[in-house]
Amino acid sequence: MSASSPNMVRVSLRVLGESVAVEMPRPEGAIRLDEVLPFLRALEDRVVEVALRHTEAGGAMVSCRAGCAACCKAQPAPVTPPEAYALARLVESSPEPRRREVLARFAERVERLEAAGLAKHFLDRDESLTNEAARAIAAKYFSLGLICPFLENDSCSIYADRPFVCRQYLVTSPAELCEDPFRNPVKPVPMPIAAAGAALQTAEKMLDSPQYTVPLILALEYVARARPELERTFAAPELYKTWLGALAP
């Protein structure tokens, strides 16, 4: 961080040989983990722009376009605990009847996930789970075709607040291959930072407990279990410093 004015702070990262900078209000007081997300989303969006320029400069073109929503119609879309809490607050603050409609979509997807015997695998993590077993669970999840509750008319209805994984997931392979990424050679654009990993690392340090991602569809279920923990507050300067340190160690 570096000061740019008495009330603003400029944060700059070196990404793929380019400087990526974002300004934010000087952090003060005590804040929750999710209250850092707006700044981190802005920073990640700038990083993604750099990654796309480098990818296209190398001759590969991104296939993702408006209305191409294959990744929103079946994939787990893992979200970190701070993101899950932010999504829960977003739904809770939505006006009626939208709030009721979105809650119904979540409930229908969760019911199907529970019927398939998968919900407990994500909510009650087994640390001994092998990579092979985890992939089998992800493949079974994908086969259910659970559409993101926020997808409307093949567009993201919370685009500005979408999770890290959704911001970073862009491909250069033909769009039709995304219909089955477990069997097709889908080629994601390499990203120079791991925003979700940094979020987990930061949450683990601040909350002093293991943290995991959950499929977006289980975000409200997870928050119902972990709300007191996710509502804890921390000194803003320390929290920002910890999160930025995790992004750029």
Side-chain angles (χ1 to χ4, degrees), residues 114 150 191 200 219:
E114 289 176 339
F150 297 113
M191 290 294 162
L200 288 176

Side-chain angles (χ1 to χ4, degrees), residues 91 99-115 119 146-149 216-221:
V91 173
R99 176 178 174 275
R100 185 168 60 253
E101 293 169 352
V102 173
L103 285 174
R105 294 175 202 163
F106 268 97
E108 187 272 339
R109 274 61 155 183
V110 171
E111 183 177 354
R112 290 175 58 192
L113 200 59
E114 289 176 339
L146 299 175
I147 299 173
C148 176
L216 185 149
I217 285 170
L218 289 173
L220 305 189
E221 302 294 311

